[in-house]
Amino acid sequence: MNHIKCECGHVNPEGTVLCEACGKPIAENQHIDGNDKKKLLNMRYEGSARRSTTYNKTIIDKIWNFFSSVKVGVWLIVLALIASGIGTIFPQEQYIPSDAISRDPQIFYPETYGIFGKIFYQLGFHNLYSSWWYLILIALIGVSLVVCSLDRFVPLYKALKRQQPKRHETFINRQRFYSETDHVSSEDLNTVKERLLQQRYKITEEDGHIVAEKGRFSRWGPYVNHIGLIIILIAALLRITPFMYLNEYLWVREGEVKVVPGTDGEYYIENKEFVLDTYAEDDERFKDAIAKQGRVIPSNFQTNAIIYQAEDQEVIGAETKLNKITDDEISMNHPVKFGGYTLYQQGYQLNEFSKMTFKIYEMNDPDADVLGEFTVDLFNPKTEYKLDNGFKVEVTEYYPDYIITEDGISSKTKDSNNPAFVFKLFPPNSEESEISFVGNVLGAVEGLGIDPTVVELQPMGNVIGSFAPSVDPTGENNYRILIDSIDFDRKSGLSVKRDRTLPLFIIGALIFMIGVVQGMYWQHRRIWIHPKKQGILLAGHTNKNWFGLKKDIEKAIENTPIQMVKDQNNE
């Protein structure tokens, strides 16, 4: 590193614009920050040497200089704001309504919002705030804030710490506020110093040179802002870690005990009862609104639940023992909290298929007796059902929420909203089997513009070809399997949340506001008195509110022969 020695004897770092001790302009560095093009000195960073304006040789220097640019930081923030704005056009994946056509984003966005929804999904805006590129953008903003702060704070702090009352005459007469008085007595100077002390200025003297200063702490306001913003950005990045932030969705049926997702099997919930209250259709207050909606409107829906905590198992594989920790009602405005987690009532489903009973008949006899009966638990289907009369039914394919497209048959979701089965039926004492398809074919293709008679069934065991909405895709069966009855369940949609980043957001916001107040309501004001023969040179500088500084000087020199300062910025 090259150093620059000033005529006052102080050794300055390379790139210094104004001597850190006496303030004399360094001739060869006046091009930095445009000081060579101005009559007045650029005092923004006290003329201190900044790395970004001094070094530009190595790759580290270039990276540092890139991130130290305020323009780069502003553009990064603008890009983040634009991306965030686009992310609000359609709901994020975690906010897909519980009654949507599907909670699968690949289906929800195109089906709900058309081509724009498809583009929104394919570009990854459906999960914007946890996407890798958005998090990288946030991290780059944080890097920019850190580099900008260090590039300016450290040299500024050193320059302000080293400044002396004794300043070079060029430094004085190139300040914005400046005046020259030929004759000033010591009594007048003492009067000025006393008045400055009364205005809470700190007075420092050296060989007759005087500097009066107050409000230096306001210079650190922007850097305090940066610290607050950095903490907020760190909190935002920590939200991608399950330990710091959790936002899961849980469906639990009435009577079901289910582990709460994200708790590592520590907590369980039992849905004792789901309660749904609706507005009365004949109530005059709500009659018009209900008619406009065309459906019954819920006034309240809640889950009467029990929360359990699992004991640590002493023997691996032993049955989990659950201890009840709370019994509460979870409603829209009444979440339940436990172990740092919060459960919110967010949705419900009233008619979910739970069990389906099937009966076997002869194919060509409309008045045939029932040959067999079996029931499939849709949440725990068996692969094989043996009937007492010798029939055996194998479940070849099961689609909980099936849909037929031009590509074949598939399941939209894992929820049993529209079940379909491919059964392999073995008659008594026979090794030959028949293939039967049972499902609402018309419902699966409704609204898709697809003719069910020309849709290929794939995969379907050994069945290939086209089929109409029939239980016999081959047309060669001797038996048919028909749905006899369906049992329905009601289930609650609960949002599971845990947010340990909230204290960091609060701390960051408080620090940011402290910096705003610190930099907005105080100013760093300095007044220099430079003796010259029988008189003095008077100069003043502030980082803002020049009118206030002028009033301070007027009060200090009132009724003295000292000339009032002139604003050289107007000359």
Side-chain angles (χ1 to χ4, degrees):
M1 175 183 285
N2 297 323
H3 293 82
I4 303 172
K5 187 174 183 179
C6 180
E7 65 181 37
C8 69
H10 181 76
V11 179
N12 297 281
E14 180 182 358
T16 301
V17 178
L18 303 176
C19 176
E20 294 175 335
C22 70
K24 179 186 177 182
I26 307 298
E28 61 267 31
N29 290 335
Q30 290 307 291
H31 63 284
I32 301 176
D33 288 335
N35 278 348
D36 56 338
K37 300 177 182 179
K38 299 177 181 178
K39 175 183 178 181
L40 303 181
L41 296 179
N42 188 339
M43 296 284 289
R44 186 165 47 170
Y45 303 111
E46 302 297 311
S48 56
R50 289 182 288 135
R51 182 189 179 98
S52 60
T53 58
T54 305
Y55 304 104
N56 192 28
K57 296 181 180 179
T58 68
I59 184 64
I60 295 178
D61 294 336
K62 295 182 184 299
I63 293 174
W64 180 276
N65 295 345
F66 176 80
F67 284 107
S68 68
S69 171
V70 175
K71 291 182 179 179
V72 170
V74 170
W75 273 111
L76 289 173
I77 294 173
V78 169
L79 291 175
L81 290 175
I82 293 173
S84 300
I86 295 175
T88 63
I89 295 176
F90 301 130
Q92 291 290 291
E93 180 180 353
Q94 63 266 36
Y95 298 115
I96 294 177
S98 59
D99 58 350
I101 184 173
S102 173
R103 290 189 64 85
D104 184 348
Q106 188 174 0
I107 298 172
F108 170 75
Y109 290 102
E111 291 294 328
T112 306
Y113 304 109
I115 185 64
F116 295 105
K118 185 175 183 180
I119 296 173
F120 187 84
Y121 169 75
Q122 290 180 342
L123 292 179
F125 285 101
H126 68 291
N127 202 12
L128 173 68
Y129 305 109
S130 59
S131 61
W132 64 269
W133 63 268
Y134 186 82
L135 294 176
I136 289 177
L137 186 58
I138 296 299
L140 290 177
I141 294 175
V143 171
S144 178
L145 285 173
V146 171
V147 173
C148 278
S149 299
L150 291 177
D151 188 64
R152 292 158 174 80
F153 174 83
V154 174
L156 177 62
Y157 173 78
K158 291 180 179 179
L160 289 175
K161 186 178 180 181
R162 291 194 181 105
Q163 68 174 340
Q164 304 295 328
K166 193 173 183 178
R167 291 293 201 171
H168 195 274
E169 186 173 329
T170 305
F171 176 86
I172 298 296
N173 57 38
R174 289 183 65 182
Q175 294 298 320
R176 177 171 172 177
F177 281 176
Y178 172 77
S179 71
E180 183 175 357
T181 307
D182 294 333
H183 298 280
V184 178
S185 66
S186 59
E187 291 79 5
D188 291 329
L189 285 177
N190 291 331
T191 300
V192 171
K193 287 191 292 183
E194 289 177 2
R195 290 174 179 175
L196 290 174
L197 288 172
Q198 291 173 1
Q199 297 182 67
R200 299 188 299 278
Y201 278 86
K202 179 183 177 182
I203 305 296
T204 306
E205 295 186 62
E206 181 184 355
D207 298 334
H209 296 264
I210 300 173
V211 60
E213 180 182 21
K214 73 174 179 179
R216 181 190 291 187
F217 74 98
S218 68
R219 296 289 291 272
W220 316 128
Y223 306 102
V224 175
N225 289 345
H226 289 183
I227 293 173
L229 288 174
I230 291 168
I231 293 174
I232 291 174
L233 293 175
I234 290 174
L237 292 175
L238 289 176
R239 288 169 73 89
I240 67 173
T241 61
F243 176 78
M244 296 298 294
Y245 181 76
L246 176 70
N247 187 6
E248 298 283 352
Y249 201 87
L250 167 69
W251 285 105
V252 55
R253 305 188 310 275
E254 279 186 320
E256 183 183 19
V257 178
K258 202 169 185 179
V259 65
V260 179
T263 65
D264 296 325
E266 182 180 1
Y267 294 98
Y268 289 73
I269 180 173
E270 179 183 357
N271 184 354
K272 292 195 305 180
E273 180 186 14
F274 177 74
V275 178
L276 177 65
D277 299 322
T278 60
Y279 292 103
E281 295 185 41
D282 56 353
D283 193 318
E284 292 296 332
R285 295 174 299 172
F286 315 117
K287 189 174 181 180
D288 294 339
I290 294 174
K292 185 177 180 180
Q293 289 289 327
R295 60 182 178 86
V296 176
I297 301 176
S299 60
N300 175 57
F301 54 95
Q302 67 182 47
T303 304
N304 297 337
I306 301 176
I307 306 298
Y308 300 95
Q309 185 173 17
E311 286 187 358
D312 294 334
Q313 297 182 11
E314 297 180 358
V315 180
I316 298 177
E319 184 178 354
T320 303
K321 184 177 180 181
L322 303 178
N323 296 323
K324 176 180 175 181
I325 60 174
T326 185
D327 186 346
D328 208 340
E329 298 175 352
I330 309 173
S331 61
M332 289 297 292
N333 297 316
H334 181 73
V336 62
K337 298 182 180 181
F338 58 92
Y341 300 91
T342 305
L343 282 176
Y344 297 89
Q345 182 70 58
Q346 194 160 330
Y348 62 90
Q349 186 171 333
L350 299 179
N351 298 313
E352 183 188 34
F353 293 81
S354 61
K355 293 182 180 179
M356 298 181 70
T357 300
F358 302 89
K359 289 185 177 180
I360 305 172
Y361 299 87
E362 287 188 7
M363 176 63 72
N364 299 320
D365 188 355
D367 299 323
D369 294 331
V370 177
L371 301 178
E373 178 181 320
F374 62 98
T375 300
V376 178
D377 184 346
L378 300 179
F379 301 107
N380 188 25
K382 299 178 182 179
T383 58
E384 182 179 282
Y385 295 87
K386 292 183 178 180
L387 282 61
D388 294 339
N389 58 359
F391 280 95
K392 184 176 73 171
V393 180
E394 292 183 359
V395 180
T396 304
E397 301 287 347
Y398 169 45
Y399 303 96
D401 188 8
Y402 94 107
I403 186 172
I404 299 172
T405 66
E406 295 176 348
D407 297 326
I409 187 171
S410 61
S411 183
K412 291 190 296 184
T413 67
K414 297 180 181 179
D415 300 323
S416 57
N417 297 324
N418 186 28
F421 296 88
V422 178
F423 292 124
K424 185 181 287 188
L425 175 65
F426 293 86
N429 304 318
S430 175
E431 297 296 329
E432 299 293 329
S433 63
E434 299 178 355
I435 299 295
S436 294
F437 176 82
V438 182
N440 181 13
V441 180
L442 291 177
V445 298
E446 183 178 359
L448 298 178
I450 299 172
D451 184 355
T453 62
V454 297
V455 177
E456 291 189 358
L457 191 61
Q458 300 173 346
M460 290 284 288
N462 61 353
V463 179
I464 301 176
S466 300
F467 69 99
S470 168
V471 297
D472 177 15
T474 66
E476 301 175 354
N477 287 356
N478 295 318
Y479 301 95
R480 57 179 176 171
I481 300 175
L482 299 180
I483 301 172
D484 181 68
S485 62
I486 301 175
D487 293 342
F488 296 95
D489 275 345
R490 302 195 301 177
K491 63 179 182 180
S492 297
L494 303 172
S495 177
V496 185
K497 294 187 178 181
R498 178 183 64 189
D499 193 353
R500 290 174 172 163
T501 64
L502 190 58
L504 287 177
F505 279 110
I506 295 174
I507 292 172
L510 288 175
I511 293 176
F512 179 83
M513 290 307 300
I514 290 173
V516 170
V517 174
Q518 183 177 344
M520 182 176 292
Y521 293 100
W522 282 269
Q523 305 88 40
H524 183 208
R525 298 177 181 179
R526 282 170 291 174
I527 300 172
W528 292 277
I529 299 176
H530 182 90
K532 185 177 181 181
K533 298 181 180 179
Q534 300 298 319
I536 63 167
L537 303 179
L538 179 64
H541 178 80
T542 180
N543 60 329
K544 63 178 66 175
N545 191 6
W546 291 89
F547 177 80
L549 176 62
K550 188 175 183 180
K551 298 300 290 185
D552 286 351
I553 295 175
E554 285 180 349
K555 292 178 182 179
I557 65 175
E558 186 178 6
N559 298 323
T560 68
I562 300 176
Q563 296 294 316
M564 182 58 190
V565 294
K566 296 181 180 179
D567 190 346
Q568 298 192 104
N569 194 47
N570 299 325
E571 294 181 0

